Amino acid sequence: MKYQLVNVEQHELLAKGICERVGSAEAFHKHGLDKNEEVIDAKMADHDDAMALVLESLTSGPAKAIDSLDEIDAVGHRIVQGGKYFDRSVLIDDDVIQKIDELAELAPLHNKAALMGINACLKHMPDVPMVAVFDTSFFQTLPPKAYMYPLPYELYEKYAIRKYGAHGTSHRYISERAAVVLDEPLDELKLITCHLGNGCSMSAIDHGVAVDTSMGLTPLDGLMMGTRCGAVDPAIVPFIMDHEGLSTSEVNDLMNKKSGLLGISGISNDLRSVRDASEKGDERAMLAYDMYSNSVKKYIGQYIAVMGGVDAIVLTAGVGENCEKMRRMIFTGLQPLGIILDEEKNRQRGFEREISADSSQVKIIIIPTNEEYMIARDTYEIVHEQMRVDGAVFDEEPALA
Ligand code: ADP
């Protein structure tokens, strides 16, 4: 369970932390900003216990950020699957909770965990308004030709099987920031956004509107990832089940947790370990690098075709922001498409930055993602609007930093 306490008006991060391995004997809690971060071994039987620890750390102890919970005006929750119901963030009420639960079938691990977080907040802060920010809502603008699968139409009608996408909050954030960095209005740009972390996804954003994305009904589709296989020939699934005698949940596990960089390299899902092994000549590690970069390259080609061109390619997350070798491999050979990486800029470290050559027609930019800020900003705007509707009086109009 990851969290941040944010003063949205001042664009200020007050505290952050994470409760890891909730429910296991090895559970621990990291809390505090970089300089005063502390790691606490803590017993957390469930998300409810974890939430109690988080709230205690926010209001007491060496890294406390506020004097009392009364200072928290609202809570924003990241929800992976919003299905067809949510094309934007919403205030959480009983109906929203019921729909998040109903959609859990499409994201079982994530939506159920999010509900535990919502219920824990309801218990500990019953009067604080809460907002749900969905990973899928940014992609509700996809046209049917992009979100439909060529399966019998009745399956769509019966089960709503279609592409929903994921990582939408990140793609929305980096596309907005890219427009600022490029100093062009977002609605005049064709962007390809690449979130390359443990989970990986790419999107085509045409004049500010998402028109295609690589993740599908679930976050398993699309690019090769840390432990997920991404798109494979669907006939492989029944083949493996038959030949290895696997159940549906076992084959699901194999594709979600044992594939990708880990499955190919046999070393790790962490690209740093795969890189170290590839530099020592490990052939499977080299193959993993080749396959990963090739899968990103192919989506770049697809999305240029979908949008009829591209103005900028935006990279984010652990691999996109930090791995100079992967970026070099992705962009090698794309010069005929007007995409030229500047080797020197690619080596430099920094925050938001351009790494394309001056002669490149297409800009390549790195934007560190900030999903938490997006969640906090949506929450601020929705709760503020609700207070206005409810007739709350403001001394002065709050301004977003
Ligand atoms: P998540 O999707 O879990 O939020 P991150 O965005 O933190 O993931 O990305 C994790 C991935 O980023 C890992 O594969 C990790 O190896 C990779 N990564 C982080 N830093 C570097 C680096 N300096 N060089 C290469 N890969 C890196």
Side-chain angles (χ1 to χ4, degrees), residues 1 24 58 64 66 82 87 90 134 166 168 174 199 213 246 249 263-265 287 293 302 325 341-342 347 366 377 398:
M1 189 172 77
S24 90
L58 288 173
K64 85 168 195 173
I66 47 177
D87 63 1
V90 292
F134 300 92
I174 64 172
T213 192
L246 299 185
S249 76
I264 292 296
S265 69
L287 175 62
S293 56
Q302 278 191 36
K325 175 177 161 122
L341 185 74
D342 184 303
R347 269 193 290 276
I366 296 179
R377 198 185 77 182

Side-chain angles (χ1 to χ4, degrees), residues 176-194:
E176 284 184 15
R177 286 303 308 165
V180 173
V181 170
L182 292 166
D183 198 18
E184 306 256 7
L186 182 58
D187 59 11
E188 289 178 15
L189 289 168
K190 292 178 180 181
L191 299 175
I192 296 176
T193 48
C194 316

Side-chain angles (χ1 to χ4, degrees), residues 45-56:
D46 53 26
H47 285 67
D48 195 46
D49 284 355
M51 184 59 71
L53 287 172
V54 170
L55 298 179
E56 196 183 305

Side-chain angles (χ1 to χ4, degrees), residues 327-392:
R327 292 194 299 254
R328 195 168 55 244
M329 290 177 68
I330 291 168
F331 293 109
T332 297
L334 299 188
Q335 292 85 343
L337 299 176
I339 305 169
I340 307 169
L341 185 74
D342 184 303
E343 293 281 344
E344 181 50 37
K345 289 185 199 161
N346 186 40
R347 269 193 290 276
Q348 288 161 5
R349 304 225 141 237
F351 185 54
E352 294 177 342
R353 61 200 190 276
E354 201 178 301
I355 55 167
S356 41
D358 293 343
S359 58
S360 182
Q361 280 168 275
V362 178
K363 305 276 187 219
I364 308 171
I365 13 188
I366 296 179
I367 306 278
T369 195
N370 194 343
E371 290 162 288
E372 288 86 355
Y373 175 70
M374 243 9 211
I375 294 169
R377 198 185 77 182
D378 278 7
T379 302
Y380 175 95
E381 284 172 354
I382 288 172
V383 170
H384 196 253
E385 179 54 30
Q386 186 61 35
M387 288 163 80
R388 190 191 302 278
V389 170
D390 291 346

Side-chain angles (χ1 to χ4, degrees), residues 5 15 31 51-72 125:
L5 182 67
H31 175 85
M51 184 59 71
L53 287 172
V54 170
L55 298 179
E56 196 183 305
S57 302
L58 288 173
T59 50
S60 63
K64 85 168 195 173
I66 47 177
D67 291 326
S68 123
L69 290 183
D70 295 344
E71 292 178 49
I72 298 179
M125 297 180 281

